[in-house]
Amino acid sequence: MALFRLSSLCLLSVHKALETSSAALPCSPAPTTNTTATGFNTSCIGGRRRRRRALVSKSGRGGRRTVECRAAVVEDVDKEVLVPAEAEAEEAAEEYDWREEWYPLYLAAQVPDDAPLGLAVFDKQVVLYRDGAGVLRCHEDRCPHRLAKLSEGQLVEGRLECLYHGWQFEGEGKCVKIPQLQEGGKIPRAACVRTYEVRNSQGVVWVWMSEKDPPNDEKLPWFEHYAKPGFQDTSTIHELPYDHSILLENLMDPAHVPISHDRTDWTAKREDAQPLVFTVTERSSRGFAGHWGRSKNPALMNFLRFQAPCVLSNDLEFVNKAGVKQYFSALFLCRPTGQGKSMLIVRFGASSRSPVFNLVPEWYFHQNACKVFEQDMGFLSSQNEVLIKERVPTKELYLNLRSSDTWVAEYRKWMDKVGHGMPYYFGHSSLSPPKQPAVVEQAPVGLVAGISASFPAKGGVGTQHAPNPANRYYRHVVHCRGCRSVVKGFQTWKQTLVLLSLAAVASAILASAQQWKVVFLASAALFLAGSSFCSFVVSLITTNFIRTHRRL
C-alpha cells in the first residue's frame, strides 16, 4: 500500500512513478515473451563458455595488450539469466518516416505570450509563438533573408520579427514587412518561412513534422485518463544532455530505481532491488506494451506502453475500499532535440489526491524531479558517448537480463524495425550512426558540477551570459513559469530582508534605551534568518544535486 500512498500523496519522483503510478490491469501470469539480446558477455556472469574469441591488440613498447572477449556460445545457466542473444523471431523492417509523426513540443501553459520560443525536433530547428489572436504558430527557425534565427527575434503586434533586419512574418508564414524595401516595391514571393501544423491537445503542444503530407490526426496521441472529469495532474519540462533513446531506455527501466534513487523519496530503497517479471502483450511498428511487476509482489502487475515515436506511459487502475475505481498515471513525452540532447515533458496524474498533497508547494515537486534526473545524468551521458564511439548495435554492448531489461530490449528491437526511417538510430542488431556526429559532452560531476551549479540563477557572471545544459536553471527553470516566479519572488524577499536587517542594526546603534537595542537586534537576527531561508529556497530550485561521494 506504500505504492498507493505515494501516488495519491504527490508522485514525487519521475522514475519512482514507473513503480508507483503503473497499471495493475487484470492479467494472469504468462510466460515472459521479452526478446532482447546481447552478444557481449564477461567472466563475471555465471556459467562457462564453450568457446570464446579474444581480440588482442598491442600498443606501446612494453607490449601491453588489451583483450576484449565476445561470447560465441554460453551455457544453459546463462540462457536462463540473460535475454536470448538473438531474437526468437526476427521481424523485417517496416516502412517508416520520422517526419510523418506528431512530436510533443511544449506545455501549452508554458508557451510565452510575448516572445518566440526556439525548439528542435532531431536536427530541425523550429520557432513556436502565439500570434496577436493568441493562436499557436510554428515555423522553421530561419529567416529567408540571411538565415538568422527567428527565435532570437521579437513579436510586434502579433507578427514575428527577425531582429537582424526587421522582416516581419504573419501566422501563415508570409512576409508582410521589409523596412529596407524601396517605396512601391513588392515583397518577393520567396520571402516566406516554412510553416508546421501544431495542435494543443490535453495541454500539450504537438507539431506535425511532415513537409509533404497533411497532418494525420489519427496519430495524435490521446490519453484517456487525462480526459476524465476531476483528473488532476502535475506537469514539468526538462532539457537533458543525452539522446532521447537513452532517455526512453532510462524511463522504461524500473530496475534501476531502488539503486540510483535510494532514499530520494519515501519509497525508493536499495534493499528493495529484486528480480522483475515481464510479459510483452503487444508489438507493432507503432510500439509495444505489456505487464511487469516485482517478483516479491506478483499480485501487483503494472502496465507499460511505448507509443511511437516518443511516448511512454504507465497507468494504474484499482478499486478502493469504497468500491470506487481509482486511476493513476505517469506520462513521459520525450522529444529528440539533436544528437546527445532531448527534452522531456513529465505528467503525473491521479483521479484523487491526499489533502496533504495540496500543502506541499508545486516548486518542491519540480526540484525533486530535477534531482532525480541529476542522479542519472552522469552515467546516462557517458552511455550516450559510448554508443556514438563504438558504432555497433546494442546487442554487442549490452548485457541484458531477463529479470530487469526486457523493456530496453524491446525498445531497441523496435528501432531495428523502423530506425531506417530516422535521421540516425542504434538498434538491437542494426544501426545507422549520425553521418556527422556532434560533440557529446559528458555531464559534469564533482568540482565542475559544483562550479556550474553555483552560478547565479541565469547562469552568468556579471554581464557574461553562459548557458549550461548541465545546469538546473537551464534544464528546467527557464521552461517553468511557476519556478521562475518563485525564484524571482524569493530573491526580492531576500534583498528586502537584508535591507531591513541593516536598518534594524542601525536603529539598535542609535537607540538609547537598552530594551530597544535588544528589540532591534532581535529583529535584525530574525530578518537575517528570513533572508537565509530565501537563499536556501532559491538554491534548492536552481542548484544541481551532487552525490555525497562526489563532493570535495
Side-chain angles (χ1 to χ4, degrees), residues 2 81 102 144 208 269 292 317 358 450 516 543:
V81 172
W102 292 96
W208 178 255
K269 300 177 182 178
W292 67 272
E317 299 180 12
N358 298 322
W516 283 111
T543 304

Side-chain angles (χ1 to χ4, degrees), residues 10-18 21 104 106-107 110 203-204 226 233-240 247 251 310 312 329-335 343-349 362 365-366 368-370 372-373 475-476:
C10 58
L11 294 171
L12 268 177
S13 103
V14 172
H15 296 74
K16 194 61 186 177
L18 274 171
S21 55
Y106 223 63
L107 287 171
Q110 301 297 340
V204 176
Y226 292 81
D233 74 277
T234 298
S235 303
T236 61
I237 306 178
H238 306 265
E239 281 193 270
L240 297 165
L247 172 60
L251 294 171
C310 46
L312 183 68
S329 174
L331 186 60
F332 307 98
L333 311 177
C334 312
R335 172 166 50 85
M343 177 172 277
L344 174 65
I345 296 176
V346 185
R347 306 190 76 177
F348 297 139
E362 191 171 68
F365 299 120
H366 289 202
N368 198 75
C370 291
V372 170
F373 286 119
R475 288 199 328 275
H476 170 69

Side-chain angles (χ1 to χ4, degrees), residues 216-413:
N216 183 348
D217 288 333
E218 291 183 359
K219 285 187 174 181
L220 184 64
W222 178 260
F223 308 106
E224 183 181 355
H225 291 333
Y226 292 81
K228 296 180 183 297
F231 198 80
Q232 307 170 64
D233 74 277
T234 298
S235 303
T236 61
I237 306 178
H238 306 265
E239 281 193 270
L240 297 165
Y242 40 85
D243 193 75
H244 82 288
S245 65
I246 299 294
L247 172 60
L248 278 165
E249 268 193 11
N250 178 245
L251 294 171
M252 61 179 66
D253 173 21
H256 86 283
V257 174
I259 303 297
S260 299
H261 309 303
D262 180 31
R263 267 73 182 181
T264 300
D265 59 33
W266 304 322
T267 58
K269 300 177 182 178
R270 64 183 305 111
E271 55 266 29
D272 289 338
Q274 60 189 272
L276 303 177
V277 180
F278 301 87
T279 303
V280 181
T281 58
E282 300 176 30
R283 287 193 189 98
S284 74
S285 61
R286 302 301 302 159
F288 56 86
H291 304 279
W292 67 272
R294 296 177 175 180
S295 59
K296 295 180 180 179
N297 186 16
L300 182 64
M301 291 298 291
N302 311 303
F303 189 75
L304 177 143
R305 177 179 297 280
F306 167 69
Q307 181 179 348
C310 46
V311 175
L312 183 68
S313 63
N314 253 4
D315 299 312
L316 168 66
E317 299 180 12
F318 72 98
V319 178
N320 63 16
K321 294 180 179 180
V324 179
K325 181 174 284 190
Q326 298 293 318
Y327 304 93
F328 297 98
S329 174
L331 186 60
F332 307 98
L333 311 177
C334 312
R335 172 166 50 85
T337 58
Q339 297 177 42
K341 298 183 293 182
S342 55
M343 177 172 277
L344 174 65
I345 296 176
V346 185
R347 306 190 76 177
F348 297 139
S351 55
S352 64
R353 287 176 174 174
S354 167
V356 179
F357 186 94
N358 298 322
L359 299 179
V360 182
E362 191 171 68
W363 61 260
Y364 181 84
F365 299 120
H366 289 202
Q367 68 82 29
N368 198 75
C370 291
K371 179 179 179 180
V372 170
F373 286 119
E374 288 153 7
Q375 290 172 336
D376 288 345
M377 193 182 299
F379 51 78
L380 290 184
S381 57
S382 63
Q383 179 185 357
N384 192 117
E385 189 174 3
V386 171
L387 283 178
I388 293 291
K389 288 182 177 179
E390 294 290 338
R391 301 173 78 88
V392 295
T394 58
K395 75 175 184 180
E396 301 294 333
L397 298 171
Y398 289 8
L399 194 63
N400 288 321
L401 300 182
R402 291 179 181 269
S403 54
S404 65
D405 306 310
T406 291
W407 300 137
V408 173
E410 288 294 323
Y411 175 62
R412 292 298 175 180
K413 288 182 188 175

